[in-house]
Amino acid sequence: MNNLSPRCILVCQHSSCRAFGSSQVLFVFQLAKLPPDVVVMSTGCQGQCSSGPTVRITPEEIWYCRVQPQDVAIILEQHLYGGNPVTAKLHPRIHPNFSREQ
């Protein structure tokens, strides 16, 4: 990853995602110890209202759906520090090649 464009954790804060707890998800990410090349940002609607709260990691374009505060630790550990997306939370419409464990 180059130093000119950090990885971003984009947490939707549109009303439909907020109704399912995205403000708490954003808060937990903001308090977390992030890798040095990662920033957290709130966003408006990301167009995935039926499967929120939505968390998108750029520039990898990994989309997580139905993220809850307790999911933040595994996303940090497995994906952001370990380099492996959390398949159980991947958005099935955007990442159809992964089966979800739910």
Side-chain angles (χ1 to χ4, degrees), residues 9-40:
I9 302 168
L10 304 172
V11 184
C12 182
Q13 295 299 297
H14 185 64
S15 59
S16 57
C17 280
R18 286 178 63 90
F20 290 103
S22 68
S23 60
Q24 292 86 0
V25 173
L26 176 63
F27 183 70
V28 174
F29 270 118
Q30 290 171 329
L31 291 179
K33 183 178 188 293
L34 300 173
D37 67 331
V38 176
V39 296
V40 177

Side-chain angles (χ1 to χ4, degrees), residues 12-13 23 25 29 32 39 42 71 79-81 85 89 92-93:
C12 182
Q13 295 299 297
S23 60
V25 173
F29 270 118
V39 296
S42 64
D71 299 322
H79 181 169
L80 297 172
Y81 281 106
K89 296 309 263 182
R93 214 175 326 148

Side-chain angles (χ1 to χ4, degrees), residues 6-77:
R7 292 190 293 171
C8 293
I9 302 168
L10 304 172
V11 184
C12 182
Q13 295 299 297
H14 185 64
S15 59
S16 57
C17 280
R18 286 178 63 90
F20 290 103
S22 68
S23 60
Q24 292 86 0
V25 173
L26 176 63
F27 183 70
V28 174
F29 270 118
Q30 290 171 329
L31 291 179
K33 183 178 188 293
L34 300 173
D37 67 331
V38 176
V39 296
V40 177
M41 299 175 64
S42 64
T43 68
C45 185
Q46 296 188 67
Q48 303 302 315
C49 297
S50 65
S51 56
T54 299
V55 172
R56 181 174 152 213
I57 311 289
T58 63
E60 297 117 301
E61 290 302 330
I62 300 296
W63 291 68
Y64 292 113
C65 65
R66 295 181 180 90
V67 177
Q68 295 301 303
Q70 63 269 23
D71 299 322
V72 171
I74 190 71
I75 292 171
L76 285 169
E77 181 182 327

